[in-house]
Amino acid sequence: MKRILIYIAAIVVPGMGAAAQNPLVLSQAECRQMALAHNEELKKADNALRQAELDKAIAFTAYLPKFDAMASGTYVFPDLDMMGAELQMRGMYFAGITLTQPIYAGGRIMAGNKLAKIGRECAAETQRKTRMEVIADADHAYWTFIAVERKVRMLETYSRQMEALYRQAEVSVAAEMGTENDLLRITTKRSEIEYQLQKARNGSDLCRLALCNVLGKSLDTEIVPTDTVISVAAPTRMDESIAERPELKLLQMQVGAQQEQIKSVRADILPMVGLSAGYSYYGNVKMNGVASDGMGGYVPYTQKFQDGFGLAMLSVNIPLFHWGEGLKKVKKARLDLQNAELDLQRNTRLLSIEVRQAVQNVTDGYRMVETAELGCRQADENLRVMQGRYDASMCTLTDLLDAQSQWQQSQSNYIEAQTQYKIYETEYLRATGRLE
């Protein structure tokens, strides 16, 4: 029943189907922005940054005095016998307010605040790292989709060339200037091109689905990229510094965090000094009894108790002997610091290798573009010459088919070289921490 209702609604609402078919015209910059706006991991990184900012604000409150209030009511029965008098506490109440101010905590509070600051900086770098990864994924999906789409267009052109050649061969066979074998070879080539074209179209649809996923769009969305004319500029002197890599900064912050953790652990074996002050008030306490009237007789009396009092206290807590527990914790924390420093050394080398590879990829990628562009010009000229010769019966069909095959391969290489170079550019910026 639900499916039927949904189907009817889709039919009744005017313009609903047409709106879903509107193509999404997309530039590289728009692709990046949409991916950033949609990505769930980036949203989680944003939340983690806000949490770290709250943690930093929470840690700062440890410097400030704490105010606490309490109130209680008590009903005691039966009344208590106090040397012939009755102490009545039916509805006794007690209320007070307390101020507590730490004066010295062995450096734990300061270390905690520095750790919270480092945590906030780590969250910011993690957010930046996630942002760069999202942009890199978006660029990869965008340029891959463009590459496959261009290959589809190229193969369609190749198919039209083969159709024209087939009609030309038919005329030749009809005029007894060609053979049936020529038609058979062209037909075989047409089938091969059709197979390649179908594979390219399937690949284009898969790349479109991947791009829709990156953008957070419906998988039925048609995408029309606008950056189809790719300009490739020669790379200038490329910086290999990794100083801006968020991964490097996170490792450095981890070392700083372990240093502060040692201070925090050391605070367990240092004295703690604190100041407390407060004021309390109690009431509704009664004392019932009898007293001599001075004339040999006794008279009953009732006395109420209610009063307030203040309190100020300075406390010092000095750890004396805990079987070396504190010192062992400090040694353990120092080993954690050594591990963090070793991780920094190892990963610094790996990041440097990654940047060097990214630089090499950009340099080699540009050379591949130049080589592929030259190959395209040569293949275009070769195809033009062979087509003219074939029309003049000065070369064989094999020569023409080889020229067309070389043209198709050179075009495919050029498309791959251009789009791969754009991907290498993005990867280089990510590897140097400058992808924004």
Side-chain angles (χ1 to χ4, degrees):
M1 179 61 71
K2 290 183 178 179
R3 292 182 179 179
I4 295 174
L5 292 175
I6 293 171
Y7 175 71
I8 293 174
I11 296 176
V12 170
V13 178
M16 188 174 183
Q21 299 300 321
N22 288 337
L24 176 62
V25 181
L26 198 64
S27 66
Q28 181 189 10
E30 292 169 337
C31 177
R32 288 182 173 187
Q33 291 301 320
M34 293 180 67
L36 290 172
H38 155 73
N39 188 264
E40 292 87 355
E41 290 300 320
L42 184 56
K43 292 179 181 178
K44 289 171 62 177
D46 293 339
N47 291 338
L49 177 58
R50 287 195 286 269
Q51 287 177 324
E53 290 172 346
L54 291 173
D55 286 338
K56 185 173 180 293
I58 292 170
F60 181 76
T61 62
Y63 285 118
L64 306 177
K66 303 294 189 296
F67 291 90
D68 297 291
M70 61 84 63
S72 65
T74 304
Y75 190 91
V76 179
F77 62 91
D79 297 339
L80 302 179
D81 185 7
M82 301 291 292
M83 300 179 65
E86 290 182 344
L87 181 62
Q88 187 179 82
M89 294 184 292
R90 300 176 185 178
M92 182 188 73
Y93 59 85
F94 184 89
I97 185 170
T98 304
L99 178 147
T100 305
Q101 173 64 58
I103 297 176
Y104 178 71
R108 180 184 288 106
I109 296 177
M110 185 175 295
N113 274 267
K114 290 182 179 179
L115 282 170
K117 181 182 178 181
I118 293 173
R120 194 268 176 203
E121 293 171 351
C122 285
E125 288 300 320
T126 301
Q127 181 197 48
R128 194 165 70 91
K129 174 177 173 288
T130 305
R131 178 183 175 86
M132 288 194 292
E133 290 173 349
V134 171
I135 293 175
D137 290 342
D139 280 5
H140 187 276
Y142 184 77
W143 292 117
T144 302
F145 179 61
I146 287 179
V148 180
E149 279 285 286
R150 288 180 61 184
K151 284 190 176 183
V152 170
R153 303 288 86 80
M154 179 268 296
L155 287 170
E156 288 174 346
T157 301
Y158 191 16
S159 179
R160 289 192 293 270
Q161 290 177 359
M162 199 56 59
E163 287 293 334
L165 182 60
Y166 182 81
R167 289 193 297 271
Q168 186 178 356
E170 278 186 319
V171 173
S172 298
V173 170
E176 298 183 352
M177 296 179 65
T179 65
E180 291 291 337
N181 185 54
D182 290 343
L183 279 178
L184 182 60
R185 293 179 61 192
I186 296 172
T187 301
T188 302
K189 195 66 176 178
R190 286 168 65 191
S191 299
E192 179 185 340
I193 295 171
E194 186 61 31
Y195 176 76
Q196 294 178 0
L197 182 57
Q198 188 58 46
K199 283 185 63 177
R201 285 172 175 164
N202 292 341
S204 175
D205 193 55
L206 290 176
C207 290
R208 183 189 60 82
L209 293 177
L211 186 54
C212 286
N213 179 57
V214 169
L215 300 175
K217 294 296 181 181
S218 168
L219 298 182
D220 297 327
T221 304
E222 180 185 355
I223 298 177
V224 179
T226 61
D227 298 307
T228 53
V229 179
I230 302 177
S231 59
V232 176
T236 56
R237 183 178 180 277
M238 305 182 73
D239 185 10
E240 297 186 12
S241 172
I242 61 172
E244 294 301 316
R245 274 295 286 268
E247 292 89 342
L248 178 65
K249 293 187 176 183
L250 286 170
L251 290 167
Q252 292 170 340
M253 292 175 190
Q254 183 64 29
V255 172
Q258 291 300 334
Q259 291 172 340
E260 295 303 325
Q261 190 65 38
I262 292 175
K263 298 177 182 178
S264 180
V265 173
R266 188 184 292 121
D268 291 338
I269 59 177
L270 297 176
M272 295 183 62
V273 181
L275 174 65
S276 297
Y279 182 82
S280 301
Y281 188 85
Y282 65 91
N284 202 23
V285 179
K286 298 177 182 179
M287 178 74 75
N288 297 324
V290 292
S292 172
D293 59 2
M295 299 175 62
Y298 295 90
V299 294
Y301 72 91
T302 298
Q303 184 177 0
K304 292 184 178 181
F305 298 94
Q306 56 184 30
D307 199 359
F309 59 91
L311 172 68
M313 179 177 64
L314 181 68
S315 63
V316 180
N317 184 357
I318 303 175
L320 294 179
F321 183 68
H322 290 179
W323 302 99
E325 176 188 5
L327 291 175
K328 292 181 176 66
K329 287 182 177 180
V330 172
K331 291 179 180 179
K332 180 181 176 182
R334 285 174 177 164
L335 292 175
D336 289 335
L337 173 60
Q338 291 180 13
N339 290 336
E341 291 172 340
L342 292 172
D343 286 340
L344 175 61
Q345 293 175 12
R346 180 175 64 89
N347 287 285
T348 298
R349 294 194 302 270
L350 294 176
L351 291 173
S352 298
I353 293 172
E354 186 179 358
V355 172
R356 181 68 60 85
Q357 183 63 54
V359 170
Q360 188 66 42
N361 286 339
V362 172
T363 304
D364 293 344
Y366 181 73
R367 293 171 183 164
M368 293 294 290
V369 172
E370 288 185 316
T371 303
E373 186 177 11
L374 177 60
C376 276
R377 291 199 298 267
Q378 292 172 342
D380 288 342
E381 180 63 18
N382 184 48
L383 179 59
R384 185 189 66 80
V385 171
M386 286 300 171
Q387 185 67 56
R389 289 181 178 179
Y390 181 77
D391 294 341
S393 300
M394 295 176 64
C395 73
T396 64
L397 177 63
T398 299
D399 294 332
L400 179 59
L401 291 177
D402 287 344
Q404 289 179 330
S405 179
Q406 291 171 8
W407 176 87
Q408 182 260 337
Q409 187 61 51
S410 67
Q411 290 291 325
S412 179
N413 291 342
Y414 188 46
I415 292 169
E416 290 178 3
Q418 280 189 316
T419 52
Q420 187 61 52
Y421 180 79
K422 302 302 288 186
I423 293 173
Y424 283 153
E425 278 187 328
T426 299
E427 183 58 26
Y428 164 72
L429 293 174
R430 188 199 67 80
T432 54
R434 294 185 287 124
L435 182 61
E436 298 294 343

